[in-house]
Every structure is written in C-alpha cells, then in structure tokens.
Amino acid sequence: MATASGAFKSREDHRKQIELEEARKAGLAPAEVDEDGKEINPHIPQYMSSAPWYLNAEKPSLKHQRKWKSDPNYTKSWYDRGAKVFQAEKYRKGACQNCGAMTHDAKACMDRPRKIGAKWNNKHIAPDEKIETFELDYDGKRDRWNGYDPANYALVVARYEARDAARSRYVKEEQLKKLEEKNNSENPEEVSDEDIDDDVRVDEAKVDESKQMDFAKVEKRVRTTGGGSTGTVRNLRIREDTAKYLLNLDVNSAYYDPKTRSMREDPLPDADPNEKFYLGDNQYRNSGQAEEFKQLNIHSWEAFDKGQDIHMQAAPSQAELLYKNFKVNKEKLKTQTKDQMLEKYGNAASQDEIPKELLLGQSESQVEYDRAGRIIKGQEVVLPKSKYEEDIYINNHTSVWGSWWKDHQWGYKCCRQTVRNSYCTGTAGIKAAEAATDLMKANIARKEADDELPAPAEEKRMATWGTEVPDDLVLDEKLLAEALKKEDQRKREEKDERKRKYNVKWNDEVTAEDMEAYRMKKVHHDDPMKDFLH
C-alpha cells in the first residue's frame, strides 16, 4: 500500500507484497502503520497512498494527502470586542479631540460629541481600544459567521421556548374557561365540543409529532412568509403498513428495484383480490387516471410533431384543454360519419322484421336446372346489372354515350356527335354533318386538281432609307461623293466640338444623295461585321 519508495523489487518480493495487501484487505494481517503510529486503511488505492518521489519519504505515510504546508501567521482567533488597553489621565498630543483616546481621531470617534472636548478640559479621558491585526485566508475573509459566538444562540432558543410555554399556558386557560362556561350555563347543549376545539385550535405543526394520533386529518396554514400555503398532510401511509417488498419474501416472486422503488408485477398473484391493497405498479399505470394521463401525453407529442405549439410540461392547462377539444371533435366526426352511412345504406336493425319467406329463402315456385346448372324452366333469366347508372339520358339525347362508333371515336347514336357534353341535334345534325363532310371532300379534290403555280410577286424597289423609290430616281455619283465627305465631317465635329466654327450655315434641304450617304455611314449595332465596315 503506502510504500516509502519506488525501489526495484524482484518478482518474488512483488508477489509477497500483493499477498500481504490482499491479507490486509481481508483482515487477516494487521494494517500498515505510518510514522505517527496511525493505521493506514488497506482499501486506499495505491495512486493515493504512494508518496511522490521528490518528497523522499522513507516510511509509509499519508501526509502528502494533507495540507502539510501550514501558514505560521494564520490564526482562527477574532477581534476582542470592547477590550481596553490603557486609560490616560491627561490629554495626549495626537489623541482624539472629542474623547481623548489615542487609537482614533475625532472624525472616526464613536462617542457622543461633547460640548467641550477632552482636548480643552482634560476630563473623562476615554481608554484606548485594543487594535488587532489578523492575516485571514480566502475563506476566512468571506466567512459571514467569522467571529460569531455560538453561546449567543442560547438566547434565541430561550426566547422561543418561553413563547411556546406562554402559548401552552394560554391554551390551557382558555380550555378551562370554556369548560366552566359549559358547566355553569343553563343549557349545556348550546356550547358543543366542536366550538371549543375551533376556538382554541393550535397550529399542529408546532406540536410534538408523537402526540398526534389523528392521521386522517388535514391542516393547512395560509399567509406564510413566502406567500403560499403550507400544511401538514397526515393521510399518508402510516409506519405500521407493510412495505411492498416485504409482502412476499420468496426469491422468485415479483422483482423489486430499490433504486426506483418500483415493483411492476403483483407480489401476491394467488391471494384474494378483495384482501390485497397493492397489485403492482403495472396495475396502477394501466388503470384509473394514469391511462388518461398517458393518452394526454401521447396527444401532446403527436400535436407538436404536426406543427402545433403545445408542450405538456410548459403549459399543462393548455394541453389538457386542447385534448378535451380533440375528444369532442372526434366524437362529433364519428357521429357525423355514422349518420352519413345510415343515410346512404340505411339501418337494417331499426327496420321492420324481414318476412320469414325471405329470411329462410323458402318459396312455392318450382325451378328446373340442367346438368350445367342453367335454369330451364320456372324462373325468368335476370339480366345482370352493373354498378353504374343505366338508361339515363342527358342533354335531350335519346341514346346513351357509347352507342355509336366511327373512326376510332365514341359518340351518340341519335345525333352522331363525338363530344360527350354536346346537346342533341337529332336528324338535322346528322344531315348537317354529312353536308360538311361532302363539302370538305370537294374542296380537297378541287385543290388537288389545281396544279398551276401562283404568279410571282413583283418586288418593289425600296430606297436605302426605307421608302419606295420612284422609277425616274437616279443618284449622281459626284453628289453622292460630296454627301459622303459632308457626313464624315459632321461625324468628326460630333466627336470633337472644338472643330465646329462659329459662323455655321444650316441647310434644311435633304437630297437623295444625303440620305444615301447617311445610310451608308450609319453604324448598325446589331451587325456582326460592323467593325470591318469603316
């Protein structure tokens, strides 16, 4: 265990050391003793009992686990309150001008301010206080009970005991007064025992618990310091009741978990149910309000998963109200669904009784069958009906949809229309459809017979600026060259206004050559070859 040093040990010495430690743990060998003569617990782990190498411990010890560096200046003593050191007879220089003590000045003096201070009359010189200085540690500076004398608490205990004694005397006196009034009154029935108990009711929380025998009584006190209500509830299980883990001491009986104090199964399954007061935790969880509480939790989780802002622990009242509304709406929906089913299919249970002939399937009619099971005689063949509506005509039709077929299309036989929601046109509609078909065939034949090509359209000559060109328009090459020079000069002036002269002559007349030059010099931004034109 607490070895002195980590010297090398042989395998045999190490084995003996382990056997010795096992014997000490089992109590077969005496415990190891430190240098102070105290026994070392053999169950202390080695990493705690072994001393560090730099301490150079020669004997086993646990001093390295204690606070072995003690402060010599640290003390647990406290200020000596009210102690006096020396009382002078004359005023001393530097002393308090009010009382004459040397340990403080006039500003920090705690005595009554005198009309004439001790400095001027040399009378009633106050003694010097005892000034002490302590070096406290971190906890000592922050200890709010530091310097408190526990003997002072005896005064608090005595005050409360005196109050309880006075209260008990007062209660006894009130009870005696009530009893005397009851004996002296002419009608003793007017004053009952309940009135006496109500008038002198004592707070049972202050009475000794051993004197209270009424365990079924509940007393509450309101207007407490915290603002709430406190009380002593005595309808709990009394100590004489047998604990549930002692009902059946058989090892193979119901398992009791001491950590959670739960016993899920019934400890006495073969006993009389009328004589058992405990049936197991599972019985209580699946009966009474536990099942309803479980359903409430499940509803809260499912509602939260579906996006509702509901939490069972944060807002239990809201969760319970939503669960009640959910149950009401569920019942309404079930009733509504039931009514719809009854309205659609009827209720055979509420109708009149079915005749016995139909119920038993017996009748006087004779039916003959062949070997294949087909009816030969005695009963008309019943045509099977589909689940769809039959023989219902819409939009003035005299036949149903699908009674006519042509060119891979269904239609009505009465008017030969292939649009299902169309209105019936009768025989006139059939004739009009045939005439339209004949006209369409004639047009197709006439188009095929006409093989002549259409005459080519004459292309109109357009001017370069977008208007029609007259037949007699001829552009002069010289005038066009001059117009191109003027257009270049105009563009240079637009780029640099300094080249523009002051005496500018403006001509509003535009010739065909000017328009052609403008068109030729105009930049087409959409033209992909615009960078190669100029």
Side-chain angles (χ1 to χ4, degrees):
M1 292 298 295
T3 56
S5 62
F8 176 75
K9 294 181 180 180
S10 62
R11 182 178 297 179
E12 186 67 21
D13 295 341
H14 185 67
R15 185 182 60 80
K16 291 181 180 180
Q17 181 69 21
I18 293 176
E19 292 179 356
L20 180 60
E21 291 178 359
E22 294 294 335
R24 285 173 178 171
K25 290 179 181 179
L28 302 177
E32 195 173 9
V33 181
D34 60 359
E35 58 184 5
D36 296 334
K38 298 180 180 179
E39 294 183 353
I40 299 177
N41 190 347
H43 297 282
I44 296 178
Q46 187 177 4
Y47 73 92
M48 295 177 61
S49 60
S50 59
W53 60 271
Y54 51 82
L55 292 181
N56 297 323
E58 298 179 356
K59 294 183 179 181
S61 175
L62 293 177
K63 282 187 176 182
H64 60 277
Q65 294 289 348
R66 304 185 184 95
K67 185 179 179 182
W68 51 279
K69 286 186 178 181
S70 60
D71 189 3
N73 298 326
Y74 177 73
T75 177
K76 292 185 178 180
S77 60
W78 198 243
Y79 300 102
D80 193 0
R81 299 177 185 269
K84 306 299 180 181
V85 180
F86 174 73
Q87 185 174 6
E89 297 179 355
K90 293 182 179 182
Y91 179 79
R92 292 161 293 176
K93 186 178 180 180
C96 177
Q97 299 179 2
N98 184 41
C99 65
M102 287 290 293
T103 53
H104 61 269
D105 54 359
K107 188 176 181 180
C109 186
M110 302 298 294
D111 286 2
R112 174 183 59 84
R114 303 180 184 181
K115 188 175 182 180
I116 300 175
K119 180 180 178 181
W120 293 276
N121 58 9
N122 281 328
K123 293 181 180 180
H124 306 290
I125 303 297
D128 300 339
E129 293 90 352
K130 184 179 180 181
I131 299 177
E132 297 176 288
T133 304
F134 300 107
E135 293 184 5
L136 301 176
D137 57 355
Y138 182 86
D139 294 332
K141 292 179 181 178
R142 292 157 180 81
D143 188 6
R144 59 193 298 262
W145 294 102
N146 201 349
Y148 178 74
D149 188 6
N152 297 336
Y153 191 72
L155 301 176
V156 180
V157 175
R159 184 169 68 252
Y160 277 92
E161 290 178 352
R163 189 191 65 177
D164 294 341
R167 176 181 294 177
S168 61
R169 287 196 303 270
Y170 173 76
V171 169
K172 290 181 181 180
E173 291 176 359
E174 291 295 327
Q175 289 178 351
L176 291 175
K177 288 182 181 179
K178 292 293 181 179
L179 291 175
E180 290 178 358
E181 291 177 0
K182 181 179 180 180
N183 294 332
N184 297 332
S185 61
E186 296 178 356
N187 191 3
E189 297 179 357
E190 294 180 355
V191 182
S192 60
D193 295 336
E194 295 180 357
D195 296 338
I196 298 175
D197 295 338
D198 293 338
D199 294 338
V200 295
R201 180 170 295 171
V202 187
D203 188 3
E204 294 188 2
K206 301 295 183 179
V207 186
D208 188 8
E209 189 176 359
S210 61
K211 299 179 181 179
Q212 297 177 359
M213 301 302 294
D214 191 4
F215 289 95
K217 193 173 184 180
V218 180
E219 293 291 339
K220 287 189 176 182
R221 294 181 292 111
V222 296
R223 298 178 184 176
T224 56
T225 306
S229 62
T230 62
T232 305
V233 180
R234 295 183 176 81
N235 55 357
L236 303 176
R237 180 183 66 84
I238 60 177
R239 299 300 179 182
E240 285 77 10
D241 291 343
T242 306
K244 54 186 176 183
Y245 54 84
L246 297 178
L247 294 175
N248 191 351
L249 300 180
D250 188 5
V251 180
N252 299 323
S253 64
Y255 174 72
Y256 174 75
D257 187 9
K259 184 176 182 180
T260 59
R261 299 181 181 178
S262 61
M263 181 182 288
R264 295 181 176 85
E265 299 178 1
D266 188 1
L268 299 172
D270 300 332
D272 187 5
N274 299 325
E275 297 180 357
K276 292 190 297 184
F277 71 93
Y278 181 73
L279 302 176
D281 294 342
N282 289 341
Q283 179 68 19
Y284 295 142
R285 290 173 183 171
N286 299 327
S287 61
Q289 295 182 350
E291 187 69 21
E292 184 177 357
F293 184 72
K294 186 190 302 181
Q295 296 296 331
L296 177 59
N297 279 325
I298 295 174
H299 172 262
S300 301
W301 298 335
E302 293 178 351
F304 182 78
D305 292 339
K306 293 179 181 178
Q308 294 189 13
D309 189 9
I310 179 175
H311 197 279
M312 184 59 194
Q313 281 72 33
S317 301
Q318 177 192 8
E320 187 174 0
L321 181 60
L322 291 177
Y323 181 59
K324 289 182 179 179
N325 296 337
F326 167 74
K327 290 195 296 185
V328 172
N329 295 333
K330 185 177 180 181
E331 291 295 331
K332 288 183 180 179
L333 185 61
K334 289 174 63 177
T335 306
Q336 184 179 0
T337 306
K338 183 179 179 181
D339 295 341
Q340 291 177 356
M341 297 293 291
L342 293 178
E343 183 180 357
K344 185 174 183 179
Y345 299 104
N347 188 1
S350 62
Q351 294 178 356
D352 298 335
E353 295 183 0
I354 302 175
K356 291 184 178 181
E357 292 81 6
L358 298 178
L359 183 62
L360 301 177
Q362 297 177 359
S363 62
E364 297 295 334
S365 61
Q366 184 177 359
V367 183
E368 294 182 5
Y369 300 90
D370 59 0
R371 291 184 177 181
R374 293 186 292 267
I375 298 175
I376 300 175
K377 182 181 178 181
Q379 187 176 1
E380 297 180 358
V381 179
V382 181
L383 297 177
K385 291 186 177 181
S386 65
K387 64 179 180 179
Y388 303 101
E389 297 178 348
E390 297 181 0
D391 300 332
I392 295 178
Y393 308 108
I394 60 174
N395 295 336
N396 203 27
H397 289 286
T398 56
S399 60
V400 296
W401 168 260
S403 59
W404 186 68
W405 168 268
K406 185 179 181 181
D407 296 336
H408 302 281
Q409 287 184 339
W410 292 103
Y412 293 98
K413 186 179 181 180
C414 55
C415 59
R416 297 183 182 179
Q417 295 196 46
T418 57
V419 181
R420 184 166 187 175
N421 294 328
S422 63
Y423 193 80
C424 183
T425 55
T427 308
I430 296 175
K431 293 180 180 180
E434 291 177 353
T437 304
D438 296 340
L439 180 61
M440 183 177 62
K441 290 181 180 179
N443 292 334
I444 292 173
R446 186 172 63 253
K447 186 176 181 181
E448 291 177 354
D450 191 6
D451 295 334
E452 295 181 0
L453 297 175
E458 295 182 358
E459 296 181 359
K460 294 182 179 181
R461 290 199 306 158
M462 302 293 291
T464 55
W465 56 86
T467 58
E468 295 182 2
V469 180
D471 296 335
D472 56 349
L473 178 63
V474 178
L475 296 175
D476 191 355
E477 297 296 334
K478 294 182 179 181
L479 295 178
L480 181 60
E482 293 178 358
L484 289 173
K485 291 181 181 180
K486 290 181 181 179
E487 185 66 20
D488 293 338
Q489 185 179 359
R490 188 182 65 82
K491 287 185 174 292
R492 285 195 299 270
E493 290 178 356
E494 286 182 356
K495 293 181 179 179
D496 191 0
E497 294 184 354
R498 294 177 296 177
K499 295 181 180 181
R500 182 182 297 179
K501 299 179 180 180
Y502 292 101
N503 51 353
V504 178
K505 294 182 180 180
W506 190 262
N507 188 7
D508 293 337
E509 296 180 1
V510 180
T511 62
E513 288 79 3
D514 295 338
M515 289 299 299
E516 185 68 16
Y518 173 75
R519 200 276 313 167
M520 293 173 65
K521 294 294 182 180
K522 184 180 179 181
V523 178
H524 297 276
H525 296 281
D526 297 335
D527 189 359
M529 301 296 291
K530 64 179 181 178
D531 296 333
F532 303 96
L533 294 177
H534 305 293

